[in-house]
Amino acid sequence: MRRLTVPWTGLTRRRRHRFAPLVVLAAALGVTGGLYTALAPSPHAEAASGVSTASIDQGRGLFLRNCSSCHGLNAEGSSDGPTLIGVGAAAVDFQVGTGRMPAANVGPQIVKKRPSFDAQQTAALAAYVASLAPGPAIPDKSQLDYTNSDIAKGGEIYRTNCAMCHNFAGSGGALTLGKFAPALRGTSPRHMYEAMITGPQSMPVFSDSTMPAKDKREIIAFLRNSAKEPGPGGLSLGKIGPVSEGGVGWLFGLGALIACAVWLGAKAR
Amino acid sequence: MAMLEKAAAQVGGTIDDRFGAAGWIKKTARKVFPDHWSFMLGEIALYSFIILLLTGTFLTLWFQPSQSEVVYHGAYTPLQGLKMSQAYESTLRISFDVRGGLIMRQIHHWAALIFVSAMVVHLCRIFFTGAFRKPRETNWIIGTILLTLALIEGLAGYSLPDDLLSGTGLRITEGVLLSLPLVGTYLSYFLFGGQFPGDDLIARLYTAHVLLIPGIFLALITVHVMLVWYQKHTQYPLPGRTEKNAVGYPFFPVYTAKAGGFFFITFGVTALLSSVATINPIWLFGPYKPGEVSDGTQPDWYMGFLEGSLRMMPPWEIRAWGYTVPMNVLVPALIVPGFMFTALGLYPFIERWVTGDDREHHILDRPRNVPTRTGLGVLAISFWLILLAGGANDLFAITFHLSINSITRAFQVLIIVIPPISYVVTKRICLGLQRRDREKVLHGRETGIIQRLPDGEMIEVHEPISDTEKWMLTQHLSRRPLELEPDTDDNGIPRRRLLLSKARARVSRFYFEDRVEPPTPAEVREIETSGHH
């Protein structure tokens, strides 16, 4: 029987080589990384302070089409939405970047959803609002660098200032009249920082004079660490305190034992 | 075999010669106990208690009951370098540095939750089957004390690690003490050794938690079990079971094997749960600081009803002559539980007074046959459940996207409306079930077969039930309301304590006015002879 000669026979033979998976993995990672660097919008660009007039103009256009019905044609505010003069780029980046704005419906609280604008549009909107009056700016990379921050100290600051609403592990909690403090586990460091300096919705403002930037970074370091921390005791049960523990104790603890008792007592009547 | 028997006889003989144990063992081994799964609920509590003693002893080897401040340098990085009490530091050490420490802590805590829940379910079984009736009132009282002590013991244990959660619990305890008029401040200063949080409380709670309360527990549990032994266990009605016998299996070998096995099952289930699910992750709460508090701070479930009653109480206060009596704390935290536990402890005596029944009862009631008692039990449970749910109002709010204010208001209404409704509904269900039992005895079980008679009439065929079943459905006592005695005796002299006897007659009417009589033998015979189905 004649063997077919395929040009890549050599390759086929080598695919079972023990380094083959590594090579494939390296190649895949390289391609993904390369494509990402090439295509992903640089976060630095949108956070840059020197914003061109073009992006301010684009932001103004977006604002007029999407925001002005509530916030007014000149962002002066109306009965449906507050003025945005002086709220700063950070507020816009937080509200639009987390999808809270434009708001889908009015409830006790405007909730997080899929963002309606991409990073570049968000930056343009932020640039426009920032151009109206000075306000808190979007934090730059150095402000957000929490790699060397003290996690333990961050935990202490968090428990003193944040845990009463956001819960000890950042699981979130209820506020009055249907409002709530959202869970913080999936929130990005930038959005956490912006929330602290702008105080969205029910949240108070933690300006740099009440809470130095270093403390904010420590809080972020604590929360990021807490979010990725493995549970040494097993399933976390939601990290909401003893209520879920009580439910599990009744259902799976006592429930299982009663089932065993029924089993043991089944023979006789 | 012969050799083994000989060896056993030798050992037995040796013991009997010295302690004269043969007679006692013979009697004990043959002691008969009725069998039913619901009789094992108390056992779960007992075995959990043993697990608590074992794991608790392990924990005492490392726990430091001290509030003196230290700086943390243990294995858990996110708390590295923080100032904390020795109590919290040593609990962290048990969790992260002591081999097997975390699983022991988790077994201890899960066993505690199971311990109290088993007590509650056991209590319900005793209540709904009337096992508290004469001669077992003393054991009911002991049980009530055990349950109360379990709550205090649990609160003490919850407070010992001195983390943010337990400190907040103690802060509420302080508030409750302060709400007591006149003596509140003194009591609080005495307990905490000064201004909250003080330096003494953890050490004091520790003594109570590991020595005082477990000691009382051990003594009371011993009496509790000895009384079951001495007074004999109750039994469910079956032909052949009377108020004067106990039908079941001997203690040895049947119950030694069953009970021994069930202990290991309890230990196994608790250990399994503890190895799978985290309980009280103290490292996440952080050390207690009086200035800090976390959202979602709740007590363990057994104290949840108190949390709920505090949360749903309207903000009422009495202010007079420069003093404030905080009814919003005093009522929900002291008066409500005080009333609940007093009513619980007194119930057997209330029912005895109402029925005027002085006989011994060893045959258990089927809950449907005592509709008012069953209704009152469900009323109490619904009251307690609403309080418990009220303690988690914030979690309801965030889970279901509701307003916590509306939820609290709803609970305030439900706590008044639901218990009476559940009483009425339960009682009606019981009466309905009794009517069905009556039907079954007189006309048999519905077979679902429809027969057409020659004249065209359609009837459903009923199948007569067995004599055993008939006996089961008719054996119970159907109580009638007490007759009000005449105002004067035979000589025309006014009776003493007239008001009390009137009140008693009224309560008796409340209990037994609505009733379904079980069929009498005469009725059954008549149906049987007439051949009618």
Side-chain angles (χ1 to χ4, degrees), chain B residues 3 19 45 48 67 75 80 168 204 337-338 361 377 438 458 468 482 495 522 532:
Chain B
M3 237 173 76
F19 307 106
S48 302
Q67 277 164 287
Q80 204 62 255
T168 311
R204 289 174 180 177
H361 293 280
R438 204 187 133 83
M458 310 278 253
T468 305
L482 293 180
R495 218 170 266 285
H532 171 78

Side-chain angles (χ1 to χ4, degrees), chain B residues 72-347:
Chain B
Y72 183 67
H73 292 298
Y76 187 64
T77 343
L79 293 171
Q80 204 62 255
L82 287 193
K83 285 180 188 161
M84 54 183 63
S85 70
Q86 254 190 352
Y88 185 59
E89 194 258 353
S90 57
T91 317
L92 284 174
R93 189 142 49 89
I94 291 170
S95 306
F96 292 107
D97 302 83
V98 174
R99 192 172 292 269
L102 182 58
I103 185 87
M104 283 295 189
R105 253 197 67 226
Q106 300 209 136
I107 295 179
H108 192 71
H109 207 141
W110 280 121
L113 296 197
I114 293 172
F115 176 53
V116 194
S117 55
M119 281 173 109
V120 170
V121 178
H122 173 59
L123 163 82
C124 291
R125 201 282 292 171
I126 301 289
F127 180 84
F128 287 112
T129 58
F132 55 79
R133 290 171 299 170
K134 191 181 173 184
R136 297 184 178 78
E137 303 97 325
T138 319
N139 237 5
W140 174 268
I141 296 273
I142 292 175
T144 312
I145 298 172
L146 282 173
L147 182 62
T148 319
L149 279 179
L151 300 192
I152 300 169
E153 176 74 344
L155 177 72
Y158 172 92
S159 305
L160 285 180
D162 203 24
D163 57 326
L164 187 52
L165 190 65
S166 65
T168 311
L170 285 178
R171 184 58 134 178
I172 297 174
T173 312
E174 189 220 6
V176 172
L177 280 179
L178 288 178
S179 77
L180 278 169
L182 303 175
V183 293
T185 16
Y186 295 97
L187 275 183
S188 166
Y189 266 63
F190 172 71
L191 183 71
F192 289 90
Q195 181 83 39
F196 179 87
D199 299 320
D200 298 338
L201 189 66
I202 298 285
R204 289 174 180 177
L205 283 179
Y206 185 66
T207 311
H209 184 77
V210 307
L211 179 71
L212 185 64
I213 303 176
I216 303 174
F217 253 125
L218 262 181
L220 287 181
I221 289 176
T222 310
V223 178
H224 202 67
V225 176
M226 290 307 287
L227 275 176
V228 173
W229 195 281
Y230 178 71
Q231 297 176 332
K232 298 176 189 63
H233 205 290
T234 50
Q235 49 192 347
Y236 282 105
L238 256 190
R241 293 180 180 173
T242 71
E243 298 286 12
K244 289 191 165 34
N245 67 8
V247 181
Y249 297 97
F251 182 69
F252 182 86
V254 174
Y255 285 102
T256 34
K258 270 199 176 191
F262 198 40
F263 169 73
F264 288 108
I265 287 178
T266 310
F267 211 150
V269 167
T270 314
L272 181 68
L273 187 58
S274 311
S275 53
V276 171
T278 314
I279 189 161
N280 197 16
I282 49 130
W283 55 92
L284 294 179
F285 297 122
Y288 182 60
K289 297 254 164 74
E292 296 175 0
V293 70
S294 166
D295 181 271
T297 295
Q298 261 106 358
D300 278 343
W301 75 263
Y302 44 82
M303 295 299 265
F305 74 104
L306 287 176
E307 176 85 13
S309 78
L310 262 176
R311 288 188 185 198
M312 68 174 75
M313 180 71 188
W316 295 339
E317 285 181 348
I318 298 174
R319 283 165 207 244
W321 300 290
Y323 292 96
T324 304
V325 184
M327 304 307 280
N328 47 353
V329 180
L330 202 57
V331 171
L334 289 170
I335 295 176
V336 167
F339 174 77
M340 285 168 72
F341 279 89
T342 310
L344 185 67
L346 290 182
Y347 187 80

Side-chain angles (χ1 to χ4, degrees), chain A residues 156 163 168 177 229 235 245, chain B residues 76 276 278 280 289 295 405:
Chain A
E156 200 156 51
F168 58 90
L177 296 169
E229 188 179 81
L235 301 172
E245 294 166 0
Chain B
Y76 187 64
V276 171
T278 314
N280 197 16
K289 297 254 164 74
D295 181 271
N405 308 50

